[in-house]
Amino acid sequence: MESAEIRRRWLRFFESRDHVAVPSAPLVSNDPTTLFTIAGMQPFMPFFLGQQSPPWQRATSVQKCVRFLDIEEVGKTTRHASFFQMCGNFSFGDYFKERAIPLAWELLTTPVEADGYGLDPNRLWVTVYQDDAESVEIWQRSVGLPADRIQRRGMADNFWSVGVPGPCGPCSEIYYDRGPAYGNDGGPIADEERFLEVWNLVFMQYVRGEGPGKEGYPILGELPARNIDTGLGLERLATILQGVDNLYEIDTSRVILDRASELSGQQYGADHESDVALRIVADHVRSATMLIADGVTPSNEGRGYVLRRVLRRAVRNMRLLGAHQPTMHELVDATVQAMGPQYPELVAQHARLATVVGAEETSFLETLRAGTQIFDLAAQQVRDRGQRTLPGTVAFQLHDTHGFPIDLTLEMAAEQGLAVDEAGFRQLMEDQRSRAREDAREKKSGGVDTSAYQALREKTGPSEFIGYATVVGDSTVRGLLREGALTDTAGEGDEVEIALGRTPFYAQGGGQLADQGRIRAGEALLEVVDVQPQLGDLIVHRARVTRGLVRVGAPAYAEVDVERRRAISRAHTATHLVHAGFRRALGESATQAGSENAPGRFRFDFHSPTAVPESVLADVEAEVNAVLLDDIDVHAFVTSLDQAREIGAVALFNEKYGDRVRVVEVGDYSRELCGGTHAARSGQLGVITLLGEASIGSGLRRVEALVGADAYRFLAREHVIVSRVAEMLKTAPDQLPDRIGALMQRLRDAERDVDRMRGDAALQIAPQLAAAAVDVDGALLVAHAAPDGTGSDDLRKLALDVRSKLPADRPAVIAVGSVTDSRPSVVVAVNDLAQERGILAGDLVKDVAALLGGRGGGRGDVAQGGGTQPEALGGALGAVRDLVAQRVARKG
C-alpha cells in the first residue's frame, strides 16, 4: 500500500466517525520554544494547555514533522528519519479510552478490501502504563486481546508529558511483530527492533508538577477535561505494509535513494558504508525539499542554518559516493515525484525548489574547493613539522569561515594519515557559543529570566513612549532589576534594568537600533547603553549607575543622545527610500526581508532570485538621492490597518500588526507601516551611498549603505584611491574600468593558452599509448603517467581518446595518472566489452586510489580518484595489470 493511500485511509476513517480533518500545519513552528513542528500534536497544544478553546471536539490530521536531534543516527539505524508524517486523532473533552482503543484496533485490523490496513490481529502487541488497569481491561474486554500480549511498563516508557509542568497522562502503545528474522521473541519489552511500534495512544488526564526526566515529577491532580492525543507513524506503517526492512526503502524514500544510486554509480545493498550514505542523501533531500516548500531558505542562523546543514550533508555524502558534479536538482525532481501525490504544492513549486537547492549546492561546492586549499596547506605544514595531528584551530577555521562540518575535516585528515585535535575544536566551538550566549544576554536581557520581566510588568504597568515628539522628558522610576531580581534601590557601579512611567528612549525594534543617553533620578545619574521591549508593552532601559543611589518611585529626567538618534533616524528613512527604489526597479516582489538602521549606516535585505546588476544599483542610488535633493516632507500618522492598505502602505509579511497602525510617508515616493523614528525632511539625509549588494541565502540579497556624514567621508576616501590607481596605470579616472578590464582579459587569455597547451601536450601522446597497449589474459591494457601538471579534465580526455583508438572487439582498460601541485590523480576508462567481463572503472579506480593514499569512484565506464602520495603514482599504475588480471580470472 502506497504512502499516499495510507494517508487517505486514515483521514477517511476518522472523518466518517465525526472527526474534523485538519490540514497539516507548516513545518515552521508557531511555538517560540521550537524552530520546527516536531510532533503531530504540536499544533493542538494551545487546546491541550487550555490557552485556547478548540473549535471542534474531535479532530484528525496527518502532520508533517521534522526532527534533527538524532541527525547523526540517520542512515545508520532502520528507524531514524529527520522528516516523518504523524497520523493523529484527537478528542478535546469528548471520548476517552473506551472509544480511542477500539478505534485504533478497528482501523489497523480491518481488511484492506474493507478500507482498513489489514494487519494480522495475532501479530499485534500492546504496552500500557503499569498502574493503568482500566486500559488493560478495555484491551481485553472490548478488543479481545489476550493477556499475554499486553505488557506493563513504567513512567519512562508509558507515561506522557510535554516535559514541563502541565498536562500529562498514561499511554498505550501498539506494536507489530515482524517475525523471528528481526530479533528475539518476548514482546516489545524484549526487542523493539522485531516488535515495531506503530501507534501511541495518549490518555491526557492529569496535571504534572516540576521534576527532572521522564519519571521524577509529582502528579498534582486531574485536568478539568480528559483528552485523547494519538499518533501513528505513517512511515513505520508503510514499512510493514510494503514489506521492506526499514523506512528508507518505502515508496517515498526509495525513489530518491534509487536516483542517488544512479547518479553516484553506487549500488544500494552492495556495502554498508555506501548504504548509509545513500540513506542520508534520500532522507536529507526529502527533508530539505519539504522545508523549502514551507518557506525556509538556507542561511547562517536559525531555521535557515539547520536547512543549510542538512543540504550540505546531502551534498557531501553524494561527493563521498563519487558524484563530484551537481546532483541536487535531480534529487529534488525525485522528491517531488515521491511526495507530490500527498503534497500537490510541491509540484506547483517544483522550479523554485530546484533553484534554491541548486544554488546552495553550487555555493557549497565552491566552499569545498576553497576550504580544501586551506586544509591542504595546513596539512602540509603539520607534516613539515614532523607531526601527525591537525590543530583544533584549523578545524575551527574551516568550520566557522568555510562551513566545513567537522566530520568532513576528519575524513580529509584520515585520507592523509592525520588525526584532528577534536577536543581543541570542540572547546573553541563552546567558547564561541558561550560568547554568543553572553552577547545575547548582555544586549537583550542582561541575563534576566522572562519571569523577572513579568514581575516587573506587574509592578510597573505598561510603558508610555513619548519619543516621537521629544528626546527629553520628565518621568518616574517605576521599577528596577539588579542581577535578575526586583530591587528597590541600586548604588553607584551597579548595572540595572530600569522601567520608567514614560520614556523618550526608543527600544530596539523594526531594524532600528536602540537609543542611548542618560537618566537623572534624584541625585543619581545613570548611563543608558541599551533599550529593549519586553512582554509587548514594557520598555526596559539597561543602564549603569554612575553616581548616587537610585530608588523606585524617584522622579526622573530622561535625555536621549540626540546626535545618535538623528543619525539612526536618517538611516531608517534612507532604508525606506532604498526599499521603494528597489521595488520600482525590480518589481513588487523585491520586498524587504530584514534591516538594521545604525548611526550613519544601514543594511537592507530583500527578496530577489538573482543578483542586482550594477546598472540597477546605480539607478536606484541616483533616484533616491534625487529625492533627497527635493527635500520632501516626511510625515507619520496613525490609521486603521484597512485604511493603510487602501492607500498602498507597504507592510512586511513577517510582522504582526494590530487594528491601528503607524504609517510613514516620504511624499508620494515611499509609504510604509513603521514604528521607528525618522528624519523630518528627506534633505536632512544629505547623501546616500550604496556600497554594493551580495547574496545572503537563496533568493535573498543584502545591500550595505552609508548615509549623511559617513557617506561623505567614504566618497572622499574613494576619490583618493581612484586618483592613486589612475596614476599607477597612467590613465584618466573615467577610463579605469576599461583599462583594468583589458589587463584582466590579457591575464585570462594567458591562463587559457597555458591550459590549452598543457591539454594539447597530453592528447598528443594518445596514439603512442594506444599503440603500446599490452595483452592481459585477452584484455588490452594501457597504464601510463601523463606529464606533471595535467589536470583531471585533461586526464579524462586523454583516457577517452586512447579508448577510442583501441579495437572495439576486445576488452580494453585505460589508466592514466598525473601529479599536479604534489597531488596525484588517476582516471580509469573501460570499453563495453570490459564491462561485460566484470571490469568496472569505478571499482578499479578505488583500488588504484587506495594505493595513492586516497579514494575514488564513478561510473562503470569511466571514473577518477586521487590521493596524497605522489611518489606512489608509478607503482599504482603498475599495479593495474594485476588488478585487471584478477578480475578477468574471477569472471573466467
Side-chain angles (χ1 to χ4, degrees), residues 33-318:
T33 65
T34 60
L35 291 176
F36 303 110
T37 301
I38 59 174
M41 50 74 67
Q42 191 171 327
F44 301 101
M45 276 302 292
F47 307 143
F48 292 133
L49 293 173
Q51 298 169 342
Q52 298 178 21
S53 297
W56 354 261
Q57 286 190 296
R58 300 182 179 190
T60 184
S61 69
V62 178
Q63 175 62 47
K64 300 176 291 187
C65 304
V66 286
R67 193 177 297 167
F68 297 107
L69 290 176
D70 298 322
I71 192 171
E72 300 299 336
E73 296 302 314
V74 169
K76 299 177 183 177
T77 73
T78 61
R79 293 180 292 164
H80 283 91
S82 58
F83 173 85
F84 57 96
Q85 299 168 89
M86 190 60 68
C87 305
N89 61 286
F90 309 92
S91 166
F92 307 103
D94 187 23
Y95 64 83
F96 202 52
K97 297 178 185 178
E98 68 285 347
R99 181 66 174 142
I101 289 173
L103 280 174
W105 187 263
E106 179 184 0
L107 178 55
L108 287 177
T109 61
T110 295
V112 172
E113 56 272 16
D115 218 21
Y117 292 137
L119 297 186
D120 182 354
N122 295 318
R123 302 183 75 167
L124 294 178
W125 292 62
V126 301
T127 60
V128 297
Y129 177 53
Q130 58 191 9
D131 297 332
D132 188 4
E134 181 184 6
S135 291
V136 173
E137 193 270 336
I138 295 172
W139 277 114
Q140 291 180 300
R141 170 178 51 80
S142 299
V143 172
L145 190 66
D148 60 359
R149 296 217 306 275
I150 303 173
Q151 297 183 327
R152 295 178 184 251
R153 283 181 151 178
M155 288 185 73
D157 294 300
N158 276 74
F159 203 92
W160 177 91
S161 83
V162 76
V164 296
C168 65
C171 59
S172 183
E173 297 172 330
I174 306 174
Y175 293 78
Y176 180 80
D177 181 3
R178 298 200 289 171
Y182 290 91
N184 300 319
D185 199 358
I189 63 173
D191 192 331
E192 288 197 14
E193 192 67 30
R194 169 175 171 172
F195 295 87
L196 187 66
E197 179 196 341
V198 293
W199 200 329
N200 184 15
L201 299 94
V202 177
F203 310 125
M204 208 178 296
Q205 62 188 111
Y206 301 114
V207 178
R208 61 159 285 183
E210 290 279 5
K214 294 184 176 181
E215 50 188 340
Y217 52 83
I219 303 300
L220 304 180
E222 295 206 5
L223 290 169
R226 301 186 302 178
N227 306 309
I228 288 293
D229 156 32
T230 82
L232 174 140
L234 191 152
E235 284 77 12
R236 289 197 178 189
L237 184 60
T239 301
I240 295 169
L241 296 180
Q242 294 174 18
V244 296
D245 284 342
N246 59 69
L247 54 80
Y248 303 104
E249 298 175 9
I250 65 173
D251 55 341
T252 52
S253 296
R254 189 60 190 251
V255 172
I256 313 167
L257 190 150
D258 286 344
R259 188 69 184 119
S261 177
E262 293 172 12
L263 293 169
S264 65
Q266 298 292 334
Q267 183 178 356
Y268 183 66
D271 65 81
H272 177 70
E273 183 179 354
S274 296
D275 286 356
V276 169
L278 287 169
R279 291 171 181 172
I280 291 172
V281 170
D283 172 90
H284 285 12
V285 172
R286 185 171 69 156
S287 296
T289 302
M290 300 301 293
L291 285 171
I292 296 167
D294 274 359
V296 184
T297 55
S299 69
N300 288 327
E301 55 188 20
R303 299 180 179 94
Y305 176 77
V306 177
L307 172 60
R308 172 161 285 169
R309 183 186 180 205
V310 167
L311 275 173
R312 290 186 169 189
R313 287 190 96 230
V315 173
R316 183 176 64 82
N317 276 277
M318 285 299 289

Side-chain angles (χ1 to χ4, degrees), residues 621-753:
E621 183 179 84
E623 184 173 289
V624 297
N625 277 297
V627 174
L628 306 193
L629 288 174
D630 290 339
D631 197 22
I632 299 172
D633 182 51
V634 179
H635 175 56
F637 60 93
V638 176
T639 185
S640 69
L641 182 58
D642 290 339
Q643 178 63 27
R645 286 171 173 160
E646 286 181 15
I647 63 176
V650 175
L652 303 185
F653 77 95
N654 59 345
E655 293 286 343
K656 294 182 179 179
Y657 300 102
D659 293 333
R660 305 291 291 174
V661 294
R662 184 169 182 265
V663 179
V664 176
E665 295 179 331
V666 185
D668 291 327
Y669 188 80
S670 169
R671 185 176 289 114
E672 290 192 26
L673 303 189
C674 180
T677 64
H678 289 269
R681 302 187 64 81
S682 65
Q684 293 177 352
L685 275 59
V687 66
I688 295 173
T689 298
L690 303 185
L691 302 179
E693 66 91 46
S695 171
I696 58 170
S698 299
L700 290 175
R701 312 295 297 182
R702 170 170 292 173
V703 165
E704 304 272 357
L706 300 174
V707 60
D710 289 81
Y712 282 121
R713 285 190 288 269
F714 172 80
L715 291 172
R717 288 195 302 270
E718 288 287 288
H719 176 73
V720 172
I721 293 171
V722 169
S723 297
R724 289 178 178 174
V725 174
E727 184 179 351
M728 291 170 59
L729 296 179
K730 308 300 182 184
T731 188
D734 60 347
Q735 296 176 0
L736 276 178
D738 292 339
R739 175 73 166 149
I740 294 174
L743 289 174
M744 294 299 296
Q745 186 59 50
R746 287 172 58 187
L747 178 60
R748 285 192 291 268
D749 291 344
E751 290 174 342
R752 278 197 295 269
D753 288 344

